Amino acid sequence: MKILANDGMPAKTKEMLREANIEVDVNHYEKEELINRIKAYDILVVRSATKVDADLIDAMEFGKTKLIIRAGVGLDNIDVEYARNKRIQVSNTPNSSSNAVAELVLGQMITIARFMHQANVSMRNGEWNKKEYTGVEIFGKTVGIIGFGRIGQAVAQKASALGMDVVFYDRYPINISGYKSVQIEELLTCSDFITIHTTATDTPLIGESEIEIMKNGAFLINAARGNVVDENALILALDMGKLGGAAIDVFTNEPHPNPKICNHPKVSVTPHIGAATMEAQDRIGDEIYRLVVDFEEGFNGCHKAV
Ligand code: MLT
């Protein structure tokens, strides 16, 4: 069994796989070279940098690759339907990064509520702007969570523990005591902080008309996918003072984010680091190991004589 980890793999996971007699190549190949080399591997492991599109999947079909593992949650860099039609299995690691993302979101909420992002920059410039940084507390405020899966629920738990009221909207009916399920319009109008935890969408969930009905001075946090927020509408709303601030970890054009967002004084920006903690990466490694071992057992089982 041979694995290509095209966007890296924790050393501990590589070692565990080696002990199970599974060979792992940790190399990054760009598209053309990857297409030429992929035929030699049983499993491809990617993070978000490698785009697994129809061309790459076609190359796998005529080789031996039977499993693609996304080390992370979002599958938007993989043409899942195309792969499955070619009988190539696609798996992700959905259980590992919820806490890491939720902690980043909570940190960002407090950052933008207390101007920490601005204070950091101004103090490095030798300024002492104490009078400009009177913020608001998150205690007693309402946070609206759009998308109430594992990550959304982890955010809710932490926000609630810090004294926030939680409302949420999810496209599927979910009933969890302690949190109020509302329609999206109600969430937008009643929340002081709005944080999004959905998968990627074809059209933005938050655009001009959604921002228009938000509270004046509301804060928006996006650690989901860049395309769920209309970036131009966001910039306009910040410029006009409609929104009090935003914290943005994900961008429509990664790794080349819109400079107007990165340089906006009301935005706290991070380079898609929601899952980037030692603990989350360890857990992701463990999930990858389990997926590989289960796959190998199933694969060997299929080839046993009956
Ligand atoms: C994910 O989908 O798991 C996150 O966006 C983290 C990542 O891809 O780095």
Side-chain angles (χ1 to χ4, degrees):
M1 186 77 44
K2 215 172 159 193
I3 300 178
L4 173 64
N6 206 51
D7 299 327
M9 176 182 280
K12 185 182 130 204
T13 314
K14 189 178 170 190
E15 182 54 25
M16 280 160 64
L17 289 167
R18 197 190 59 76
E19 280 168 14
N21 289 322
I22 296 167
E23 189 185 332
V24 183
D25 282 350
V26 180
N27 279 314
H28 182 80
Y29 300 115
E30 291 301 332
K31 186 170 180 183
E32 288 311 312
E33 196 171 1
L34 183 56
I35 285 176
N36 288 331
R37 289 182 179 265
I38 194 62
K39 299 176 185 67
Y41 295 93
D42 301 277
I43 299 173
L44 172 66
V45 180
V46 298
R47 290 189 62 181
S48 54
T50 302
K51 308 289 168 235
V52 186
D53 59 11
D55 294 341
L56 181 56
I57 293 165
D58 284 341
M60 291 176 184
E61 193 190 6
F62 300 109
K64 52 189 214 154
T65 318
K66 292 289 170 284
L67 173 64
I68 302 162
I69 299 177
R70 163 71 163 98
V73 183
L75 288 164
D76 43 301
N77 57 321
I78 301 175
D79 192 336
V80 177
E81 201 183 330
Y82 195 74
R84 288 185 179 150
N85 284 339
K86 304 268 177 185
R87 306 178 77 82
I88 296 168
Q89 198 180 315
V90 182
S91 298
N92 60 351
T93 59
N95 302 305
S96 302
S97 49
S98 310
N99 189 65
V101 179
E103 287 188 9
L104 181 77
V105 168
L106 261 293
Q108 285 285 30
M109 276 169 44
I110 298 173
T111 296
I112 53 181
R114 299 296 300 272
F115 299 104
M116 285 192 263
H117 55 311
Q118 292 186 13
N120 265 297
V121 175
S122 64
M123 288 198 73
R124 280 189 203 115
N125 290 336
E127 294 161 23
W128 185 266
N129 298 336
K130 182 172 165 125
K131 290 203 173 71
E132 288 177 29
Y133 300 143
T134 303
V136 291
E137 295 176 10
I138 64 167
F139 180 87
K141 301 293 185 309
T142 299
V143 58
I145 302 175
I146 301 176
F148 212 58
R150 292 178 182 83
I151 299 175
Q153 289 176 33
V155 172
Q157 222 175 17
K158 293 177 195 307
S160 185
L162 290 173
M164 300 188 85
D165 293 325
V166 176
V167 298
F168 73 88
Y169 165 76
D170 197 280
R171 61 191 163 137
Y172 301 109
I174 302 176
N175 193 354
I176 298 182
S177 76
Y179 312 123
K180 188 176 168 207
S181 167
V182 293
Q183 289 306 308
I184 185 102
E185 291 76 18
E186 185 179 344
L187 183 147
L188 295 171
T189 50
C190 78
S191 301
D192 302 292
F193 293 82
I194 294 172
T195 179
I196 309 160
H197 298 289
T198 63
T199 53
T201 50
D202 293 334
T203 51
L205 290 174
I206 303 294
E208 215 177 305
S209 48
E210 287 75 22
I211 292 174
E212 201 179 308
I213 61 169
M214 287 179 192
K215 277 187 175 178
N216 289 335
F219 296 95
L220 181 69
I221 299 102
N222 185 12
R225 283 294 179 267
N227 60 6
V228 305
V229 172
D230 177 338
E231 293 181 340
N232 291 326
L234 171 67
I235 294 163
L236 191 65
L238 291 162
D239 286 344
M240 304 292 286
K242 169 71 191 175
L243 291 180
I248 305 294
D249 184 51
V250 288
F251 302 84
T252 46
N253 192 24
E254 293 182 15
H256 305 291
N258 184 339
K260 284 191 181 153
I261 292 188
C262 293
N263 294 316
H264 202 291
K266 288 186 176 173
V267 185
S268 176
V269 276
T270 43
H272 200 148
I273 56 165
T277 64
M278 308 293 274
E279 294 86 350
Q281 292 306 312
D282 267 2
R283 289 190 293 267
I284 288 173
D286 291 347
E287 267 197 90
I288 293 172
Y289 175 79
R290 194 32 49 216
L291 285 167
V292 171
V293 169
D294 287 352
F295 173 77
E296 195 194 28
E297 281 169 12
F299 183 82
N300 288 339
C302 288
H303 286 78
K304 270 185 200 138
V306 280

